[in-house]
Amino acid sequence: QSIEDLTQNALQELSQIDNPDELEQWRVRILGRRGELTGILRGLAQLDLEERRQVGALGNQAKAALEEGLEKRGRDISEARLAQVADLERIDVTLPGRPVATGRLHPTTQVLREITDAFVAMGFSIVEGPEVEWDHYNFEMLNIPQGHPARDMWNTLWVDYVNEEGQRPMLLRTHTSPMQARVMESVQPPVRVIVPGKCYRYEATDATHEWHFYQVEGLAVDEGITFADLKGTLYEFARRLFGTERKVRFRCDYFPFVEPGVDMSIDCFSCEGNDSSCRICRGSGWIEIMGAGMVHPRVLAGVGYDPEKYTGFAFGLGPERIAMLKYGIDDIRHFYSNDLRFLRQF
């Protein structure tokens, strides 16, 4: 009778419980090691064998019923709590989703990829070199020996390292041209490479000058290369980057590592030379985009090439300048200001 009364009362109490803490307290009080049901079953030892068998079976049935009721009530409480949370934090799937901000390539990176893609399509390979460079490659191998006045063209940032002769032979490269010598030292002609990379100059910054900037160097060396090959290659590049209707102009210029040297311009795609107030060409009708020339015989001889057998051409251009021309950017400092209002436009 005690077992039946306990089972009935315990199940009725169980049905009123609505939180996990009270449920655990009920389990310990009814089914625990020192629980009420356990206490009754310990009294079996005082009964004779037949009664012990009957009451033991009844006790097992009661324990099974209580455990089943406990499990079911626990499940009901969990489901009720989940339903409550779902109701409080209900998601309206008919609302439009929040937009995900997408990343963008930096405008310099975009133009750099356009430039490299144009030359790769013409058979050039891409190589990269060190930004911390030796004077030997940055100047001497490019026909600019110690004391040469042409060194004044590059305001150099020297690394604070002094060799045994008391000289500072290490610097931040002022152009990507050192890779001309490095590449020609390591391979035999034919050579077709472009070298994108960062350069550094010790100079004041303004709307058209930065102390660090990107440059793309190009080099082609083989038997029988002429100035006509240079003109044809760079003309095709201009057409690929600025449109098939572009015209080009070459004028004499000086660079110590090429002879003859030229600067290359394209016709103004904004005013076509018809607007004296054009902010891009300033009324000239032409926009200078790069320097170039035939590789100097001394440079070829310096890397072990026979200048009587091999000839080549080289060129260099700045991706930031190309971007400024393409997108009408009036200040080169915008590229490194990290201003999202500027970067989000590209």
Side-chain angles (χ1 to χ4, degrees):
Q1 187 64 41
S2 298
I3 292 175
E4 290 179 355
D5 291 343
L6 173 63
T7 303
Q8 183 178 355
N9 294 333
L11 290 176
Q12 184 176 358
E13 184 182 347
L14 183 63
S15 65
Q16 306 299 318
I17 295 175
D18 58 3
N19 68 75
D21 291 338
E22 291 181 6
L23 191 67
E24 177 61 16
Q25 293 174 9
W26 181 94
R27 184 193 70 78
V28 172
R29 183 165 53 83
I30 302 299
L31 296 172
R33 281 178 140 186
R34 297 179 181 178
E36 295 180 15
L37 179 61
T38 306
I40 294 174
L41 294 179
R42 281 179 180 157
L44 293 177
Q46 301 173 3
L47 303 176
D48 58 37
L49 184 59
E50 185 61 31
E51 288 179 331
R52 193 185 308 165
R53 186 180 297 118
Q54 293 177 3
V55 175
L58 185 61
N60 290 333
Q61 292 174 11
K63 185 176 182 181
L66 292 170
E67 289 178 344
E68 182 182 351
L70 174 67
E71 183 180 353
K72 181 177 183 302
R73 190 59 187 160
R75 192 163 53 246
D76 291 344
I77 292 174
S78 298
E79 291 176 355
R81 289 172 67 87
L82 286 174
Q84 184 181 16
V85 171
D87 188 58
L88 293 174
E89 302 180 8
R90 186 166 57 90
I91 298 174
D92 185 354
V93 295
T94 64
L95 289 173
R98 293 183 178 88
V100 178
T102 55
R104 294 172 171 84
L105 291 175
H106 192 279
T108 300
T109 304
Q110 293 184 35
V111 172
L112 199 58
R113 291 188 178 187
E114 290 181 38
I115 293 171
T116 54
D117 287 347
F119 283 109
V120 167
M122 290 187 276
F124 285 76
S125 300
I126 300 174
V127 297
E128 294 181 325
E131 295 180 14
V132 178
E133 187 57 276
W134 295 107
D135 177 287
H136 176 72
Y137 288 105
N138 198 82
F139 290 124
E140 294 178 13
M141 293 290 285
L142 299 176
N143 197 33
I144 315 174
Q146 289 283 349
H148 196 291
R151 290 200 177 204
D152 293 339
M153 297 169 61
W154 292 275
N155 300 315
T156 308
L157 287 163
W158 297 92
V159 175
D160 192 15
Y161 162 73
V162 181
N163 63 13
E164 295 176 355
E165 288 77 30
Q167 300 172 330
R168 284 189 170 87
M170 193 180 290
L171 48 85
L172 297 182
R173 66 180 179 190
T174 57
H175 46 185
T176 48
S177 302
M179 283 305 293
Q180 287 189 33
R182 286 182 175 273
V183 169
M184 288 190 287
E185 274 187 340
S186 59
V187 299
Q188 289 297 310
V191 176
R192 304 279 192 283
V193 295
I194 55 171
V195 187
K198 214 167 190 180
C199 306
Y200 305 86
R201 303 271 176 90
Y202 182 64
E203 57 186 35
T205 60
D206 56 32
T208 57
H209 296 84
E210 258 288 5
W211 72 273
H212 61 116
F213 54 90
Y214 275 86
Q215 191 178 77
V216 178
E217 182 83 9
L219 174 69
V221 179
D222 203 353
E223 296 183 45
I225 287 184
T226 67
F227 197 85
D229 297 308
L230 179 151
K231 292 176 66 176
T233 301
L234 299 187
Y235 178 43
E236 177 62 20
F237 163 74
R239 286 162 51 91
R240 288 174 182 263
L241 207 66
F242 294 101
T244 57
E245 69 281 1
R246 291 278 69 79
K247 300 175 184 177
V248 297
R249 181 186 71 178
F250 293 89
R251 296 187 302 178
C252 291
D253 204 343
Y254 171 73
F255 304 99
F257 35 87
V258 293
E259 180 61 38
V262 296
D263 71 57
M264 174 183 157
S265 303
I266 60 171
D267 59 321
C268 182
F269 46 78
S270 178
C271 73
E272 298 181 351
N274 299 321
D275 184 0
S276 60
S277 63
C278 177
R279 62 178 180 78
I280 296 179
C281 71
R282 296 181 174 82
S284 68
W286 296 96
I287 306 168
E288 181 183 340
I289 63 170
M290 72 171 77
M294 300 301 292
V295 180
H296 200 292
R298 289 179 184 171
V299 175
L300 294 173
V303 297
Y305 288 5
D306 183 358
E308 298 296 325
K309 181 179 180 182
Y310 296 111
T311 54
F313 63 80
F315 55 87
L317 67 155
E320 286 95 350
R321 174 163 175 75
I322 300 297
M324 292 174 74
L325 295 173
K326 286 193 69 174
Y327 301 123
I329 301 168
D330 59 2
D331 195 326
I332 194 173
R333 290 171 292 189
H334 289 320
F335 289 102
Y336 300 104
S337 65
N338 292 325
D339 189 334
L340 292 179
R341 295 171 300 175
F342 171 75
L343 297 176
R344 281 175 178 153
Q345 298 179 50
F346 302 92

